[in-house]
Amino acid sequence: MTFCEQAWQRNLPLFNATVALPFNQALANGSLARDAFQHYMIQDAHYLVAFGRALAIAGGKADDAEGVVQFSQAAQEAVVTERLLHNSFMRAYDVTPAIFQRTPLSPACHHYCHFLQSTAWSRPYAVALAALLPCFWIYAEVGVELQKRSVPGNPYQGWIDTYGGEEFHAHVRAVRETVDAVAAQADAKTVTEMHQAYTDAARLEWMFWDSAYHMAVWPC
């Protein structure tokens, strides 16, 4: 199996647990509390800035021109294109720029952002890509699962369709192809480190959604 196939199978119980989280179940049936979705959007917008930085760093470490272009463009999309999407949802859910600016990163968001950025800066290109992959891939597959379970008239349908749609999935497939190609050239030690980085990020994906449901904040 390829690296991505192995990573998916190794972490399948974690993915299933992510889909089963109360946040995602409530998102699918339309019952998610409005303030929980607001909290999630704000944290996700904060996260996208850090994700974009990590992508840009990974692009700078790429060992071929294609990788530089691919992840530099992905960084731009994370910071610009997807932020525009967030802005439209934020307007719809009454999240003003002032509210966004004064809302700090939640503990889970803070942890995830720093994990990605520190991994991108300090680890080899292959390991950085493995850490970045779950945000692409798990989001896409959660989107598909939520589309299957979504109810008619779901107020969150637009959000679900964005990540469950073919355009996003095509982008994810391209990232997976690059990760597999890089892993195929890596030594056994690096591949082991890639698997650990993938699992760590997948766990943080779970934590991010769970934290959003509980609208977690710092204790003091």
Side-chain angles (χ1 to χ4, degrees):
M1 292 192 292
T2 66
F3 170 83
C4 288
E5 290 170 339
Q6 291 176 5
W8 189 261
Q9 289 302 316
R10 290 184 183 192
N11 294 279
L12 186 56
L14 179 55
F15 171 75
N16 290 334
T18 300
V19 174
L21 281 168
F23 183 94
N24 286 325
Q25 293 303 302
L27 197 64
N29 65 33
S31 67
L32 183 67
R34 182 182 177 91
D35 55 354
F37 191 66
Q38 288 173 326
H39 177 91
Y40 168 79
M41 284 191 298
I42 292 171
Q43 296 305 317
D44 205 34
H46 281 308
Y47 168 84
L48 281 171
V49 177
F51 184 56
R53 289 194 183 107
L55 286 165
I57 297 164
K61 289 185 171 184
D63 50 16
D64 56 30
E66 289 76 11
V68 173
V69 172
Q70 182 179 15
F71 293 105
S72 296
Q73 289 179 340
Q76 180 180 7
E77 182 175 351
V79 176
V80 178
T81 307
E82 293 204 34
R83 284 295 296 276
L84 291 174
L85 174 67
H86 277 83
N87 287 341
S88 66
F89 277 95
M90 285 184 180
R91 284 195 300 270
Y93 284 85
D94 302 319
V95 179
T96 66
I99 291 173
F100 173 74
Q101 290 298 330
R102 69 171 179 257
T103 304
L105 277 68
S106 69
C109 184
H110 184 274
H111 186 174
Y112 200 0
C113 289
H114 282 266
F115 167 74
L116 290 181
Q117 291 176 124
S118 64
T119 301
W121 275 117
S122 64
R123 306 305 301 278
Y125 176 54
V127 178
L129 292 190
L132 290 162
L133 178 59
C135 182
F136 289 107
W137 198 2
I138 292 176
Y139 246 102
E141 296 303 327
V142 167
V144 169
E145 291 300 319
L146 297 187
Q147 280 185 324
K148 294 176 184 176
R149 305 173 192 206
S150 185
V151 299
N154 190 335
Y156 304 115
Q157 193 65 51
W159 187 268
I160 293 169
D161 289 343
T162 297
Y163 294 102
E166 175 55 29
E167 182 177 355
F168 186 66
H169 277 255
H171 183 48
V172 173
R173 286 193 294 271
V175 173
R176 286 172 53 194
E177 288 173 4
T178 299
V179 173
D180 279 336
V182 170
Q185 300 299 317
D187 59 30
K189 179 176 181 295
T190 300
V191 172
T192 298
E193 292 173 353
M194 289 175 70
H195 277 294
Q196 186 60 58
Y198 180 97
T199 297
D200 288 343
R203 288 169 173 161
L204 286 163
E205 286 287 322
W206 184 98
M207 289 176 64
F208 191 92
W209 271 306
D210 184 63
S211 173
Y213 186 76
H214 297 290
M215 295 184 286
V217 296
W218 294 96
C220 59

